[in-house]
Amino acid sequence: MQLKKKRIRGALATASCTLLGLSNAASAEEPWQFDSAVLFYSETDRVQAVEPVVTGRKNFGDDHWLNLKMVVDVLTGASANGATASGVAQTFTRPSGKGTYTAAEGETPLDDTFKDTRVALSASWEQPYTRLTKVTYGANFSAEYDFRSLSGNVSVAHDMNKRNTTLSAGISVESDQITPEGGIPTPFAEMVAAGNTTPREGDSETRSVIDLLTGVTQVVNRRMLMQFNYGISSSSGYMTDPFKIISVIDGTTGTNTAGTQGLPYQYFYEKRPDSRTKQSLFWQSKYHLSKDVVDISYRYVWDDWGITSHTLEGTYRWKLKGSHYLEPHVRFYQQGEADFYRHSLVEGEALPEYASADYRLGEFTGITLGLKYGMKISGNDASLRVEYYNQSGDSSPNDAIGAQKNQDLFPDINAMLLQLRYTF
Amino acid sequence: MMKRFTGYLKGAGGFSDPIVKFGLIALLVLLSSGCANMGVEPWERDLLAKPEMALNSDAIQSSLDDHIYFSKEASSGGRSFAGGGCGCN
Amino acid sequence: MATERGCTTMRVSALLFGLWVLLLFLPMSALVADPAPSFQIPTNDGVIELKDLKGEVVYLDFWASWCGPCRKSMPWLNRMQEKYDDAGFRVIGVNLDKERELADEFLQTVPVNFQLVYDPEGKLASQYQLLGMPNSFMIGRDGMIQQRHVGFMESKLAEYEEQILQLLKQ
């Protein structure tokens, strides 16, 4: 088995060298290094995903590296559509316009038409520019039923102070195309009954993102490494989620207002600004104790949608006998809501400029607790990781009206994750 | 104090404010120049050379996690992975 | 940005940036054509000193088990030692591992045919003012450092061999 693997790797090496027109002599000795993993993700009553990943990495001599990656992401299950739970059963039209789905009394409406497979491919090339400077070029492509994305990036890293300090800067440009089933709904249009025509703005929209990231990495002492990054990201184009709606509520009773387009109740499609500028500050530190390694990081993100967030993360790699290790992981995430986040709209009130009831733009706390167990098997890394994620927000906000006070306006999300990894 | 700082940044309009811009440049410059005497000799990087001391010791895991949090939360990115390691060549 | 405060901000930023760029060019290394600092070499025939090797061309290579390019350089060093042994060429490898077992483990998988010296505390490395890993010094027959190379690049092997030949001709 080992010999066969070596022959395959050798053949791949020769083939790729010939393709790149590089000298076969020394580089044929360098085998491809593969890393693979499969992720199982499951939210209680909601989304399930299975995600296998494979990466291949090869040194073409003198620190010239090629990295390739392929990810397949299979999603099933249901996702919240933005409408709030109500004291009555609710009916919604599927995005295709050809069917309906329902939510029972007191149940948070979930759209289960949401089934998709995504494939993503990435490639990057890394090489020295001078002895102390290295350059990386990369490209990514991802496609799923209603979404396509293409991006390119370049980054530079320069070492100073006997390579104790590294300055890095990178730029990434991305272009996305969104072609949702049923077309692009008119913002703030009312959801219509199945069989009728939803007011549409067209079949597809685009969006582009430019990212700049710059940072300093510093070796503090023999045991400690530290990193500071500043990033700025500017997106423009179609930022709205075409599948998300907002419940319309009576200003006195807090019950759903009657629908005017064939559905029992009234829901409007959301509307977000057509641009977003997001900035981040990130700090990470790694410390090597006598045998164990501690990793702590903090990130602060703020944007022009009014969202601010704090992420505090810690990992402790506890070295066991031989190559075995146990690694607990904790992540604490706190997010403030977007300026235009609304859990619902009030009938009769003037429509705001923008509004979204997407919980992902709301105020919430996310806590992750994880544990990973790893070891080497015949020189290859193998590991098993299990994590639990809980997201909780304000279930009873102060501005809940009447009957709304009996409902959970920000249900918790609980998810479990299992990851298996093997390098070869 | 965090609230005042975040409040200031919000009001300042972020990066476009010259004070914020200057502060960030100064921070990066000070960090890189003030760090001229910090660090280790090239032969003292035995621990830093270990794979578990790399800033991105599990690249696949980081990217899987990034994707999950990108779909569940409004923040993303911020990390980079250059530096550290054995410092060879 | 047309404000006076904006201009001052830009000027101070430019000054700081300039200072930072200057720092990049600070001289940091030992000059080439310095006499090679002497040290003790334990051999099979007892302990000798580097200065006793005047008349020979010495290739002094500092390495460690955790250094990837060092691993790649060993087969080449072995070849050079074998090829120019009779011409008065001697490779001396200085190991900088803090734990001897790591060096021994490394040598099990990558055996060497040249003399080794152990410098776990890096005293010799400090004397030679290493700038990176691996770091090699070509010492001429006169005991002076004639070439210094930081890093090991396969693309430069022909050049390194040329330099060895030049020194051997003297």
Side-chain angles (χ1 to χ4, degrees), chain A residues 106-424:
Chain A
E107 202 180 72
T108 304
L110 302 172
D111 182 352
D112 64 356
T113 26
F114 174 62
K115 276 174 195 46
D116 214 349
T117 303
R118 176 184 73 108
V119 180
L121 300 164
S122 319
S124 74
W125 176 257
E126 181 190 309
Q127 68 172 68
Y129 184 65
T130 65
R131 187 177 80 85
L132 295 171
T133 312
K134 89 175 174 204
V135 183
T136 308
Y137 309 97
N140 307 283
F141 173 72
S142 108
E144 55 199 276
Y145 179 59
D146 56 5
F147 182 81
R148 215 162 270 203
S149 172
L150 185 65
S151 73
N153 58 74
V154 183
S155 65
V156 181
H158 176 74
D159 287 343
M160 293 159 43
N161 305 329
K162 289 190 246 180
R163 295 194 193 269
N164 281 306
T165 309
T166 305
L167 298 174
S168 61
I171 180 169
S172 161
V173 178
E174 176 183 324
S175 175
D176 302 336
Q177 184 175 49
I178 305 116
T179 314
E181 188 172 16
I184 303 280
T186 304
F188 290 149
E190 187 174 334
M191 185 183 242
V192 305
N196 297 358
T197 321
T198 313
R200 285 160 42 160
E201 304 267 279
D203 288 327
S204 85
E205 281 280 6
T206 59
R207 156 171 82 224
S208 62
V209 188
I210 298 184
D211 266 287
L212 290 169
L213 186 65
T214 180
V216 184
T217 304
Q218 176 69 41
V219 172
V220 179
N221 56 45
R222 184 171 158 246
R223 298 181 175 280
M224 189 161 157
L225 188 62
M226 219 182 260
Q227 179 190 170
F228 292 93
N229 289 326
Y230 166 75
I232 180 164
S233 171
S234 176
S235 323
S236 67
Y238 188 68
M239 309 292 302
T240 303
D241 187 323
F243 304 116
K244 296 279 187 279
I245 53 178
I246 314 172
S247 299
V248 185
I249 301 294
D250 180 277
T252 326
T253 60
T255 54
N256 296 71
T257 54
T260 66
Q261 299 293 322
L263 282 176
Y265 302 108
Q266 200 173 38
Y267 311 97
F268 291 168
Y269 285 98
E270 68 162 39
K271 183 182 186 189
R272 300 188 198 184
D274 58 8
S275 72
R276 182 182 183 194
T277 302
K278 180 167 60 120
Q279 296 174 75
S280 66
L281 286 172
F282 176 77
W283 168 84
Q284 181 184 12
S285 186
K286 287 194 90 127
Y287 192 85
H288 193 294
L289 299 162
S290 56
K291 285 193 187 149
D292 304 333
V293 178
V294 188
D295 182 338
I296 304 175
S297 66
Y298 171 74
R299 178 187 63 180
Y300 177 68
V301 180
W302 73 100
D303 70 4
D304 61 359
W305 283 6
I307 300 174
T308 59
S309 75
H310 305 272
T311 313
L312 188 61
E313 202 164 349
T315 307
Y316 189 92
R317 189 185 204 273
W318 180 23
K319 181 172 156 41
L320 304 171
K321 212 169 181 183
S323 67
H324 294 234
Y325 66 90
L326 192 62
E327 194 176 282
H329 168 231
V330 179
R331 180 182 186 268
F332 173 80
Y333 178 80
Q334 163 89 53
Q335 175 175 301
E337 64 185 37
D339 293 333
F340 54 85
Y341 172 80
R342 306 280 304 266
H343 53 73
S344 46
L345 290 167
V346 177
E347 189 197 28
E349 260 184 24
L351 272 178
E353 198 184 351
Y354 306 109
S356 172
D358 189 343
Y359 70 89
R360 293 173 297 192
L361 299 178
E363 184 176 314
F364 63 82
T365 303
I367 301 204
T368 308
L369 294 170
L371 195 61
K372 178 161 101 171
Y373 189 86
M375 64 175 94
K376 273 201 189 289
I377 301 176
S378 325
N380 297 321
D381 292 317
S383 65
L384 170 76
R385 177 169 76 117
V386 178
E387 301 221 326
Y388 166 70
Y389 178 64
N390 167 268
Q391 196 180 81
S392 65
D394 196 350
S395 297
S396 313
N398 295 334
D399 60 354
I401 301 168
Q404 281 190 316
K405 294 183 187 172
N406 304 328
Q407 302 299 331
D408 183 351
L409 297 182
F410 201 111
D412 273 20
I413 293 183
N414 291 295
M416 285 290 294
L417 174 169
L418 178 85
Q419 177 196 295
L420 292 158
R421 179 188 175 218
Y422 190 67
T423 64
F424 55 98

Side-chain angles (χ1 to χ4, degrees), chain C residues 57 76 78-90 141 160-162 164-165 168:
Chain C
V57 171
W76 181 79
N78 284 337
R79 271 203 307 279
M80 292 296 105
Q81 178 66 81
E82 212 182 298
K83 200 168 173 183
Y84 300 112
D85 204 32
D86 300 329
F89 178 69
R90 194 192 277 250
R141 297 188 195 273
Y160 297 162
E161 201 169 341
E162 238 330 285
I164 294 172
L165 280 167
L168 285 171

Side-chain angles (χ1 to χ4, degrees), chain A residues 26-27 29-30 59-63 128 131 158-163 167 222, chain C residues 20 23-24 28 69 72 98-99 129-132 150-156:
Chain A
S27 27
E29 296 158 18
E30 297 283 348
N59 188 344
F60 285 92
D62 291 346
D63 302 319
R131 187 177 80 85
H158 176 74
D159 287 343
M160 293 159 43
N161 305 329
K162 289 190 246 180
R163 295 194 193 269
L167 298 174
R222 184 171 158 246
Chain C
W20 166 64
L23 275 163
L24 291 179
M28 284 191 293
K72 284 195 215 155
K98 290 205 191 280
E99 281 159 61
Q129 294 177 284
L130 298 199
L131 281 186
V150 184
F152 180 77
M153 298 291 190
E154 277 145 16
S155 53
K156 293 202 177 140

